[in-house]
Amino acid sequence: MHKQPKLTRFNENVLSKYQIYNSIFMTLPFDAISKTGVLLPLFHDICKNGFAQKKDPVEIVEEFFEAYQQNPSKEEKIDLLFRFIQYIERQVVLFDAIEDASFPIVNNMDGVGTMRNTKETAIQENKKEALKKHLEDFKVRIVLTAHPTQFYPGTVLGIITDLAEAIEKDDLLLINKLLAQLGKTPFFKHVKPSPYDEAVSLIWYLENVLYYSISDTYNYIQNNVFDGKKLKNDIINLGFWPGGDRDGNPFVTTEITLNVAKRLRQTILKNYYKDIRILKKRLTFNGIEQLITDLETLLFDNSVNPDLNTMYSLEEFIGKIEQIKDVLITKHQSLYLEEINDFLNKIHLFGYHFATLDIRQDSRVHHNVFSEIVTTLIESGNKSFPKNYLELTEDEQIKILSKVEENVDISIFENEMVTKTLSSILAVKSIQESNGERGANRYIISNNQKAVNVMETFAMFNLCGFKHNITADIIPLFETINDLKNAEVVMNKLYSNEAYMKHLTERGNKQTIMLGFSDGTKDGGYLMANWAIFKAKENLTRISRNYGIKVIFFDGRGGPPARGGGKTHQFYASLGPTIENEEIQLTIQGQTISSNFGTQDAAQYNIEQLLSAGIANELFTNPNHIMTKNDIEIMNDLASTSYQAYSEFKSHPKFLPYLERMSTLKYYAKTNIGSRPSKRSSGDELNFSDLRAIPFVGSWSQLKQNVPGFYGVGTALKKYEDAGEFDKLKHFYNNCDFFKTLIGNSMMSLSKSFFELTQYMEKDEEFGEFWTIIYKEYLTTKRLILKLADYTELMQSNKVGKASIDIRENIVLPLITIQQYALINIQKLTKDENADPELLKTFEKMVTRSLFGNINASRNSA
């Protein structure tokens, strides 16, 4: 029986079910105003028709009250709008749960990009041995970050999971109860979470989803590619930032870092305990029963009491399971051997660490810290640094940093940031002792600009007693356009350094380099950021190969295309042979975690898509992956043209005032969804360099303008249209997967834009001209992208993705209308000297509350 088209499956299993269950949900009485669910669809229609008639949000809201309410008071109006916000938040949850439940039906779990399809393609092309060889070294690392765009509290995550299961089984009675529970469960957090709270929230995904989906994928590869033989390579790694990411987060302390590591160990032991309990029910044989019972007791005791620390060493633990396996094979006809192999694979994958806790800090903080360290050591009579060290050139400083080796007593330092930074390095050693080296063996330096930034970190490790045996990778993060251009020079200086090269030799002749899309896009615009990263990767691949170093690229990717998101696997599959791709490493954050890895089916599918993308790039070479000299010239020209347009836009005197006063930028800090401050400095004045990428990109998303995902693209394409050379671009688009992927992801940003929402700004005395500049670029970009792809509508070749976006945008239409209504009222009240301060606070709360549903509906809004 042939499957129906994907769009038909989506409409039947997602859209239809949403309409049915939403109608049930809307009739449930959750509050004093029992008619809220009845009134919301009416409000939705007025919003839809109002924007079509070019009405502004205030006119639309007032029209609704005039039509459906009898002279409501100001308080009654506000109360109903807050009720609408609550309902819409929960409608988004309902749609999430239905999409999650239908994931394996809508998506072909054995189709293109899955491991089964990859294996079969390899067999057809007589490349199975090549596939095996590639998988002996190739890895994918998924790093969960603490960036605050996931607003669901743990209670709501649990409801989503249960609701998805109930929908899958069509259990109407349970669905009804869960919808009622959802209606009464609070979403809003009254206090900010601590970094430890964030870690606990994300460990939920490790414990309940990734533990199973990663091991299932690994088992499939072992059994079907390697014919059941043992694999040395773990293939899929997990990374973890909550509790270790200090960049701009003063709330991350050494104590929190150690406690998060302890929680990760405790959670993996808890999962092993659950598995050993299941095995105990099956392995009721002579010679095995007592071994299992002993392990069960040990795992239980250590998972309940993380301070107990009576577990076997990891090697001994594996040895005990291998002993059970041998008895099964020799005495019990290999009964339940598959289950034992699965358990061994899980231990191989997750060890005692579950996920590697990365430590990250800003190079500017490091530099200040290091200056303090040097000054204090010189004053105490220490001879490690000459008295004029701080006046030396970079090369002279690097020479000294290469040789520093001393176990300093950190109590001699009075500066708090010095003790915090050195304590975090000592924490690496402590975590490695309890969780194994993989527990914490990566130190990331954000905003890395010079080779000395890396060498200062290198020296700090050696000052903390590592004595030139640093059991951690030091990872520079290049973010801005200038830093990306300069990355090759920085790495050349490091590779030329004897002490640093000795360190790399001890680390397997591998160097991990992180490249940040977020600040690259904020700094240089969409096309330039992506192209600058592509070129940086090519240059870094070439220079690393020259020095005999295998470079590993770690991509700081967010959810939306503006931050490196979008169709991630297509991006990796589009990279050619000029870029090293032995490993794919990327950050996953916020609502992108719940959308891509929220269920076992979705997680397994997306992990396999990433694996297959890396494999396809190596094994199934596509001529469309290799850029010609002419292609490179076009891409250079497009990037520089768009960069110029974006830079001029960013320099517009109204750029920052517009964001500050017309968008939701300043409300991100009030949402209590993350522990980290929304900007780097604590000053009141808004400074572009202090803006964090998430609130920056998210604010454009809330406005439904999505500027970072398209601005400058239209201007660059128009240059070729004006010159009568658009056919050149069409040829480039049709013959270069990298360019096609960039344009496809930009389409997603355009699809989530809705300028009718803010059309009223066109008439604003102060910002009308600035709004018009954005709108014209949007229209130009949309028109020329459609022309380039020969499409009549955006995302034409991804009808299911477009359908999902359309439904989600439709759900939040009343929400964004309420948000704009509140913002307009805030602007009026701010200008009124006699304004009621309580009313102002109420509207500010309305803006903040309306952020959540919109963030989550977009699934990759920031």
Side-chain angles (χ1 to χ4, degrees):
M1 182 178 161
H2 293 292
K3 272 194 172 185
Q4 293 171 309
K6 191 173 181 180
L7 185 60
T8 306
R9 300 198 303 272
F10 176 85
N11 288 335
E12 287 181 1
N13 293 280
V14 179
L15 179 58
S16 297
K17 281 189 176 180
Y18 174 71
Q19 288 166 344
I20 293 164
Y21 294 132
N22 187 47
S23 64
I24 297 168
F25 176 66
M26 298 295 270
T27 59
L28 293 173
F30 299 129
D31 47 59
I33 306 174
S34 58
K35 291 182 180 176
T36 308
V38 177
L39 290 170
L40 183 54
L42 301 173
F43 180 51
H44 182 280
D45 287 344
I46 283 186
C47 292
K48 193 173 179 182
N49 295 330
F51 287 123
Q53 293 164 26
K54 296 195 173 182
K55 291 179 180 175
D56 70 48
V58 172
E59 288 176 298
I60 289 167
V61 171
E62 293 303 334
E63 183 185 327
F64 165 74
F65 283 118
E66 282 173 25
Y68 296 106
Q69 299 278 282
Q70 290 183 343
N71 299 318
S73 67
K74 194 185 293 179
E75 290 74 20
E76 286 172 332
K77 286 181 181 179
I78 287 168
D79 189 48
L80 183 58
L81 292 176
F82 272 111
R83 298 291 179 193
F84 282 162
I85 291 169
Q86 286 179 296
Y87 262 73
I88 294 162
E89 283 173 346
R90 287 152 178 80
Q91 284 180 305
V92 173
V93 172
L94 175 60
F95 189 75
D96 281 350
I98 291 168
E99 264 203 322
D100 287 347
S102 306
F103 191 92
I105 301 167
V106 174
N107 295 281
N108 185 351
M109 301 300 283
D110 294 321
V112 174
T114 64
M115 283 312 301
R116 180 172 178 174
N117 179 266
T118 298
K119 180 207 71 173
E120 288 173 356
T121 304
I123 291 169
Q124 284 168 11
E125 296 189 16
N126 203 23
K127 288 182 175 177
K128 190 179 176 186
E129 287 306 311
L131 175 61
K132 273 188 188 176
K133 192 170 187 318
H134 186 54
L135 284 170
E136 283 169 3
D137 297 307
F138 179 67
K139 292 177 194 282
V140 163
R141 180 184 290 262
I142 296 159
V143 181
L144 307 187
T145 79
H147 295 330
T149 55
Q150 170 60 277
F151 82 91
Y152 289 151
T155 48
V156 176
L157 285 172
I159 294 170
I160 293 174
T161 304
D162 293 344
L163 195 52
E165 287 176 11
I167 289 165
E168 211 172 334
K169 296 171 186 171
D170 286 320
D171 187 340
L172 197 56
L173 187 63
L174 182 56
I175 290 166
N176 206 39
K177 283 183 179 177
L178 288 166
L179 288 175
Q181 181 189 351
L182 185 65
K184 291 179 176 289
T185 302
F187 279 40
F188 188 68
K189 296 173 184 174
H190 293 287
V191 292
K192 274 182 176 289
S194 71
Y196 184 77
D197 296 331
E198 289 174 328
V200 170
S201 294
L202 287 191
I203 287 171
W204 186 92
Y205 291 98
L206 301 182
E207 181 181 0
N208 295 288
V209 180
L210 292 164
Y211 179 73
Y212 301 99
S213 52
I214 287 174
S215 57
D216 284 350
T217 302
Y218 187 85
N219 290 342
Y220 181 86
I221 292 169
Q222 185 184 57
N223 294 329
N224 295 280
V225 178
F226 288 87
D227 305 314
K229 289 175 186 168
K230 195 172 178 180
L231 268 139
K232 286 183 182 176
N233 184 19
D234 46 11
I235 298 178
I236 308 158
N237 296 152
L238 285 171
F240 203 73
W241 275 17
D245 183 8
R246 285 165 162 68
D247 180 15
N249 193 340
F251 307 111
V252 178
T253 63
T254 303
E255 184 184 11
I256 281 177
T257 302
L258 293 169
N259 283 337
V260 169
K262 191 184 286 186
R263 182 67 177 243
L264 285 163
R265 177 184 164 92
Q266 184 183 9
T267 307
I268 192 60
L269 293 179
K270 190 167 113 182
N271 278 34
Y272 292 159
Y273 171 70
K274 288 178 192 171
D275 278 0
I276 211 84
R277 293 267 298 163
I278 294 165
L279 284 169
K280 189 182 178 183
K281 287 181 184 177
R282 302 283 177 264
L283 306 180
T284 51
F285 317 136
N286 287 335
I288 290 177
E289 203 169 5
Q290 191 56 48
L291 282 168
I292 289 272
T293 302
D294 291 346
L295 284 173
E296 179 194 15
T297 304
L298 207 55
L299 285 166
F300 175 78
D301 290 344
N302 283 270
S303 62
V304 170
N305 182 0
D307 295 316
L308 192 60
N309 210 16
T310 58
M311 270 305 295
Y312 294 121
S313 72
L314 190 62
E315 291 72 25
E316 288 173 319
F317 183 36
I318 292 167
K320 294 287 180 187
I321 306 300
E322 290 283 5
Q323 192 180 337
I324 291 168
K325 180 179 173 179
D326 289 343
V327 176
L328 274 183
I329 293 168
T330 55
K331 295 185 179 178
H332 302 290
Q333 295 78 47
S334 298
L335 199 57
Y336 295 117
L337 184 63
E338 191 178 326
E339 285 80 355
I340 280 287
N341 281 334
D342 170 58
F343 192 49
L344 277 167
N345 285 344
K346 283 170 178 166
I347 300 167
H348 175 55
L349 289 164
F350 307 117
Y352 284 160
H353 65 289
F354 212 158
T356 300
L357 187 60
D358 288 353
I359 310 295
R360 184 172 78 133
Q361 185 54 283
D362 191 292
S363 68
R364 291 164 293 193
V365 173
H366 273 179
H367 184 70
N368 292 336
V369 161
F370 208 81
S371 298
E372 284 284 341
I373 290 171
V374 171
T375 304
T376 304
L377 288 176
I378 290 170
E379 286 172 358
S380 68
N382 189 294
K383 304 294 183 190
S384 298
F385 297 93
K387 288 183 179 179
N388 66 337
Y389 172 83
L390 296 174
E391 284 77 53
L392 298 176
T393 65
E394 184 191 17
D395 288 347
E396 288 168 334
Q397 286 183 346
I398 286 173
K399 199 171 181 181
I400 293 163
L401 294 169
S402 305
K403 295 171 185 174
V404 169
E405 182 185 327
E406 192 163 338
N407 200 346
V408 298
D409 176 6
I410 66 170
S411 67
I412 67 168
F413 301 105
E414 293 178 6
N415 183 292
E416 188 185 10
M417 189 52 79
V418 171
T419 55
K420 280 182 175 179
T421 304
L422 295 179
S423 292
S424 70
I425 292 172
L426 291 171
V428 169
K429 188 176 279 189
S430 176
I431 294 166
Q432 288 186 356
E433 285 166 6
S434 61
N435 295 15
E437 195 211 279
R438 290 189 292 168
N441 63 358
R442 289 149 57 93
Y443 197 110
I444 300 154
I445 309 156
S446 52
N447 194 48
N448 199 103
Q449 297 176 340
K450 302 174 184 176
V452 75
N453 298 146
V454 173
M455 293 308 293
E456 283 171 347
T457 309
F458 178 81
M460 280 193 282
F461 268 88
N462 289 321
L463 285 169
C464 286
F466 278 85
K467 296 181 179 178
H468 287 271
N469 181 25
I470 301 172
T471 52
D473 298 325
I474 299 170
I475 303 172
L477 164 53
F478 300 105
E479 300 179 82
T480 66
I481 303 303
N482 281 339
D483 290 348
L484 288 164
K485 286 177 181 174
N486 197 40
E488 182 184 1
V489 174
V490 170
M491 295 315 300
N492 186 48
K493 201 168 272 193
L494 290 170
Y495 291 154
S496 304
N497 183 276
E498 190 180 334
Y500 191 76
M501 279 298 277
K502 184 175 179 292
H503 163 66
L504 290 184
T505 303
E506 288 165 359
R507 301 298 294 164
N509 290 312
K510 291 182 178 181
Q511 170 68 57
T512 303
I513 298 173
M514 190 174 179
L515 303 161
F517 282 82
S518 306
D519 283 303
T521 309
K522 182 167 82 82
D523 183 49
Y526 179 74
L527 278 184
M528 176 55 91
N530 278 279
W531 183 233
I533 287 169
F534 185 93
K535 287 199 295 184
K537 284 185 175 180
E538 282 196 322
N539 293 337
L540 291 166
T541 297
R542 185 183 64 253
I543 191 173
S544 299
R545 285 173 178 171
N546 288 346
Y547 279 95
I549 297 296
K550 181 79 75 174
V551 68
I552 295 160
F553 294 115
F554 176 22
D555 290 314
R557 303 174 76 88
R563 299 190 60 235
K567 289 289 181 184
T568 303
H569 58 274
Q570 287 180 4
F571 169 84
Y572 284 111
S574 74
L575 302 176
T578 55
I579 290 175
E580 200 75 74
N581 69 334
E582 188 175 280
E583 289 192 30
I584 287 176
Q585 297 190 3
L586 71 161
T587 56
I588 307 284
Q589 67 192 45
Q591 73 276 39
T592 313
I593 296 172
S594 54
S595 60
N596 289 357
F597 302 95
T599 66
Q600 288 177 35
D601 286 322
Q604 187 168 338
Y605 181 83
N606 284 300
I607 288 163
E608 290 191 17
Q609 292 286 323
L610 279 173
L611 277 168
S612 298
I615 293 163
N617 214 339
E618 183 71 21
L619 261 63
F620 314 125
T621 308
N622 185 331
N624 286 7
H625 292 176
I626 302 163
M627 285 200 206
T628 64
K629 189 181 175 184
N630 190 45
D631 292 340
I632 291 165
E633 283 174 10
I634 293 173
M635 197 64 229
N636 271 327
D637 186 46
L638 288 169
S640 59
T641 305
S642 80
Y643 181 49
Q644 187 180 345
Y646 179 78
S647 297
E648 285 172 10
F649 172 65
K650 202 173 68 174
S651 301
H652 194 287
K654 295 300 177 190
F655 183 88
L656 282 177
Y658 180 82
L659 268 180
E660 194 168 21
R661 284 158 48 201
M662 305 300 277
S663 84
T664 59
L665 182 70
K666 64 184 177 186
Y667 298 95
Y668 266 80
K670 300 177 183 180
T671 55
N672 292 330
I673 56 174
S675 67
R676 199 164 67 158
S678 60
K679 61 192 184 82
R680 286 187 169 91
S681 75
S682 55
D684 291 333
E685 192 175 333
L686 186 64
N687 185 302
F688 185 77
S689 61
D690 286 336
L691 271 180
R692 291 203 171 280
I694 286 171
F696 175 72
V697 173
S699 296
W700 291 112
S701 173
Q702 294 281 333
L703 281 169
K704 294 296 167 190
Q705 293 176 2
N706 287 322
V707 160
F710 71 79
Y711 201 95
V713 176
T715 300
L717 298 179
K718 192 170 185 300
K719 180 181 175 183
Y720 283 76
E721 184 184 53
D722 291 346
E725 296 182 326
F726 204 75
D727 283 347
K728 264 190 190 180
L729 286 187
K730 278 202 168 190
H731 182 268
F732 181 36
Y733 175 82
N734 290 321
N735 292 281
C736 177
D737 286 347
F738 174 74
F739 184 50
K740 187 176 278 189
T741 302
L742 284 194
I743 294 296
N745 281 337
S746 191
M747 269 194 223
M748 190 185 290
S749 292
L750 294 168
S751 295
K752 293 181 180 181
S753 296
F754 181 65
F755 276 83
E756 289 87 338
L757 176 71
T758 54
Q759 188 124 25
Y760 72 90
M761 293 183 190
E762 187 179 23
K763 297 169 188 168
D764 188 272
E765 280 184 29
E766 187 176 356
F767 295 109
E769 182 202 338
F770 187 73
W771 183 91
T772 304
I773 290 169
I774 302 167
Y775 185 50
K776 281 182 178 173
E777 183 67 12
Y778 162 78
L779 291 175
T780 302
T781 306
K782 182 179 176 182
R783 177 179 69 81
L784 291 175
I785 277 183
L786 291 174
K787 182 178 178 180
L788 186 66
D790 282 325
Y791 285 176
T792 54
E793 62 174 24
L794 294 168
M795 295 180 71
Q796 192 170 306
S797 62
N798 182 12
K799 292 187 184 298
V800 171
K802 180 73 165 63
S804 178
I805 288 170
D806 288 346
I807 295 166
R808 288 172 177 279
E809 296 297 307
N810 191 48
I811 291 170
V812 297
L813 182 64
L815 187 67
I816 57 175
T817 308
I818 292 168
Q819 186 184 87
Q820 283 297 319
Y821 169 78
L823 282 168
I824 292 168
N825 275 291
I826 289 165
Q827 287 155 20
K828 284 179 185 171
L829 289 167
T830 307
K831 290 171 187 171
D832 183 0
E833 289 179 8
N834 302 314
D836 178 358
E838 288 305 312
L839 187 59
L840 182 62
K841 277 183 191 174
T842 300
F843 281 120
E844 286 180 336
K845 184 184 175 186
M846 194 177 283
V847 173
T848 305
R849 291 289 285 111
S850 63
L851 287 171
F852 301 135
N854 194 28
I855 285 171
N856 231 68
S858 295
R859 284 215 153 178
N860 62 3
S861 64

